[in-house]
Amino acid sequence: MRDYTIMLLLLKTGVRALELIGIETDDIRWEDSMILILNTKGHRERLVPFQSKMRSQLKKYLSICGKCETEALFVTMDNTALSKRQLQNRISYYGERSKIKNVRCSCHTFRHTFAKMAVKHGAGIFELQQILGHTSMEMVRIYVNLYSDDVKEKHKEFSPLKYLI
């Protein structure tokens, strides 16, 4: 249950491994479906949204997990906070168990998959920059350039001339 919740959260939010293990239960803002990410690469906290399916999964996980001695959202069997190495090992384990070949199974692969799917489904570069926590647009531009194979079709939707004529 824990590992499934982790993989869903990685895929739904695009957070980094270190950010994920830094999430505490109090960082989940249920009232507006946001998670406060404090343990960021750039040392600048940010809010990351989550939707109803993730809300349900988090609630289910927390009800099964029960009250822990630590404030960490994701814990081990010993009720200690999950480490980055333990997280990476679990993701690799599931990649091997699923017999996934020619793709690196890592937390960062989930991040790239989130970005790819977000771009392909119309996420704007500013939203993507905010959610991923990039301080510059350079990395976001790389995602957009890599994954926007339908730029011509998208242009038809937002072309100013379409609305003037």
Side-chain angles (χ1 to χ4, degrees):
M1 177 61 77
R2 179 201 65 190
D3 295 350
Y4 179 71
T5 304
I6 285 172
M7 289 187 277
L8 281 182
L9 194 60
L10 288 170
L11 187 61
K12 294 233 180 223
T13 63
V15 295
R16 296 175 179 94
L18 201 57
E19 294 171 342
L20 183 122
I21 62 164
I23 298 172
E24 295 185 351
T25 53
D26 290 342
D27 295 336
I28 301 172
R29 293 182 16 180
W30 301 104
E31 67 279 1
D32 59 357
S33 299
M34 301 287 264
I35 299 174
L36 180 62
I37 306 296
L38 296 169
N39 198 21
T40 66
K41 187 176 179 181
H43 307 291
R44 290 175 28 186
E45 65 183 52
R46 71 180 189 281
L47 289 169
V48 175
F50 63 93
Q51 281 65 45
S52 60
K53 286 183 182 180
M54 191 72 241
R55 169 191 287 273
S56 298
Q57 184 61 36
L58 283 167
K59 285 190 179 274
K60 186 187 294 184
Y61 164 73
L62 287 170
S63 71
I64 290 170
C65 186
K67 187 69 178 153
C68 296
E69 295 170 17
T70 178
E71 294 299 317
L73 177 59
F74 296 110
V75 295
T76 66
M77 298 288 267
D78 301 328
N79 279 333
T80 59
L82 191 68
S83 72
K84 184 178 176 184
R85 174 60 58 207
Q86 289 168 322
L87 172 62
Q88 291 167 330
N89 287 342
R90 296 306 296 162
I91 299 299
S92 294
Y93 166 77
Y94 287 109
E96 290 169 12
R97 190 165 174 207
S98 301
K99 296 181 174 51
I100 296 173
K101 304 287 183 207
N102 301 322
V103 174
R104 188 181 92 196
C105 292
S106 69
C107 297
H108 218 71
T109 302
F110 277 94
R111 185 171 169 82
H112 284 282
T113 302
F114 166 81
K116 177 180 182 175
M117 293 177 83
V119 168
K120 286 202 170 267
H121 291 97
I125 58 172
F126 296 111
E127 293 89 3
L128 199 57
Q129 179 187 19
Q130 178 67 35
I131 292 169
L132 293 174
H134 289 296
T135 52
S136 77
M137 293 300 280
E138 224 26 64
M139 193 63 203
V140 180
R141 277 195 195 104
I142 290 170
Y143 287 130
V144 171
N145 289 338
L146 282 176
Y147 305 127
S148 283
D149 52 4
D150 55 350
V151 171
K152 184 179 175 185
E153 291 305 310
K154 289 258 188 221
H155 182 264
K156 288 178 186 176
E157 294 174 24
F158 64 78
S159 173
L161 290 181
K162 177 181 177 180
Y163 301 102
L164 293 176
I165 299 174

